[in-house]
Amino acid sequence: MQPILSISKLTKSYATGFQALKGIDLDVREGEIFALLGPNGAGKTTMISIACGLVRATSGRVTVGGHDIAGAYRAARGMVGLVPQELTTDAFETVWDTVTFSRGLFGKRRDPAHIEKVLRDLSLWEKKDSQLRQLSGGMKRRVLIAKALSHEPRLLFLDEPTAGVDVELRRDMWRLVDGLRRDGVTIVLTTHYIEEAEEMADRVGVIRGGELILVEEKAALMQKLGRKRLVLDLA
Ligand code: ATP
């Protein structure tokens, strides 16, 4: 089966001359949950920013559902949802308008029933008329996820979804990922935490210094390295 995400020989050098990615090859299978583990500065955000078409690669190729993210941006981007680390939304918009507008950006027809489902799934329904500035940090994170799901993506990138969140949101996040998996959505998540990969992923990739140093089925990886060893390797 064709992978939903295919990355080949991907490199990225920033204007400073710093090489953030040094030749990444990775295929992500439809329906799987793939965890990309790595320490600060390893290149995780750079990789997913390129895969979403937000940042231009220096060389190499990324396809989503067979569409080149650089050459066939609209087709590829429509299949992708991104939950970034930082809130990137107008503070004065309401939750409802933010999520509805996000769907419109992808050229999808209005579908209030879908928006309602997304907001209910994320426990945001009661807050639908609140402005974003009135929400807590955890609620703002939920809005980011709702935005990313507004246009029914087949591939969802979660960039450090649980960094700095409380226990309740972390548990909700895991539940949400599980539900999305059952709906057939492919998920790529980045994390510093081995526990997160252990809890959620089917396969795990480890990125360090801009290189993907290993990709394994989670069960095989845990057996091979053991929990302690992997944590040490990432330090
Ligand atoms: P973190 O876990 O801290 O988010 P990361 O693995 O996501 O890290 P990236 O954000 O992809 O790492 O950054 C990889 C490297 O590229 C870092 O050294 C970072 O400083 C550098 N970098 C990122 N964006 C730029 C930029 N616009 N210009 C120059 N260097 C950059």
Side-chain angles (χ1 to χ4, degrees):
M1 200 166 68
Q2 187 190 46
I4 183 142
L5 172 68
S6 182
I7 297 177
S8 68
K9 299 189 176 63
L10 189 66
T11 73
K12 175 67 186 175
S13 298
Y14 283 109
T16 53
F18 181 79
Q19 194 175 12
L21 298 179
K22 299 175 180 165
I24 303 279
D25 291 296
L26 174 67
D27 282 348
V28 174
R29 306 165 192 152
E30 180 116 46
E32 78 172 326
I33 299 183
F34 188 92
L36 192 60
L37 270 167
N40 283 322
K44 303 180 296 297
T45 301
T46 300
M47 193 186 107
I48 66 176
S49 301
I50 294 172
C52 291
L54 295 176
V55 169
R56 194 177 282 273
T58 302
S59 65
R61 188 161 191 255
V62 175
T63 63
V64 180
H67 302 287
D68 189 314
I69 192 74
Y73 175 77
R74 282 184 72 88
R77 186 64 179 94
M79 288 187 207
V80 174
L82 168 66
V83 182
Q85 285 176 38
E86 311 283 340
L87 190 72
T88 50
T89 314
D90 184 348
F92 291 92
E93 289 286 2
T94 65
V95 170
W96 177 270
D97 286 350
T98 297
V99 179
T100 302
F101 180 68
S102 180
R103 180 177 173 90
L105 283 179
F106 291 92
K108 290 249 177 174
R109 64 172 176 75
R110 282 176 59 83
D111 187 348
H114 174 68
I115 303 295
E116 179 173 342
K117 178 182 182 308
V118 168
L119 296 184
R120 286 193 186 280
D121 285 352
L122 287 159
S123 308
L124 277 171
W125 184 245
E126 308 297 320
K127 302 278 183 192
K128 68 181 189 315
D129 298 318
S130 302
Q131 292 180 336
L132 299 188
R133 67 193 174 102
Q134 298 170 312
L135 302 182
S136 67
M139 282 292 169
K140 284 178 183 155
R141 283 235 182 200
R142 289 171 198 260
V143 173
L144 286 181
I145 301 167
K147 276 181 71 183
L149 294 174
S150 66
H151 61 292
E152 300 160 78
R154 282 172 54 197
L155 172 63
L156 183 67
F157 289 101
L158 294 165
D159 199 0
E160 297 191 29
T162 57
V165 308
D166 59 28
V167 176
E168 191 192 351
L169 181 54
R170 181 173 295 219
R171 215 177 301 120
D172 280 2
M173 198 72 78
W174 289 352
R175 212 176 298 133
L176 179 82
V177 165
D178 214 43
L180 290 169
R181 179 218 296 267
R182 270 183 267 116
D183 290 344
V185 178
T186 307
I187 295 174
V188 175
L189 66 97
T190 72
T191 179
H192 290 200
Y193 306 118
I194 183 66
E195 301 83 7
E196 204 144 283
E198 223 174 340
E199 184 72 28
M200 296 200 267
D202 299 308
R203 283 196 305 154
V204 179
V206 179
I207 187 167
R208 191 165 51 186
E211 289 177 282
L212 200 54
I213 57 175
L214 70 88
V215 175
E216 283 271 13
E217 299 289 335
K218 176 184 66 183
L221 181 68
M222 296 305 164
Q223 210 169 23
K224 206 187 271 180
L225 295 177
R227 190 189 175 98
K228 265 199 181 130
R229 175 74 196 292
L230 185 57
V231 172
L232 284 177
D233 276 354
L234 288 174

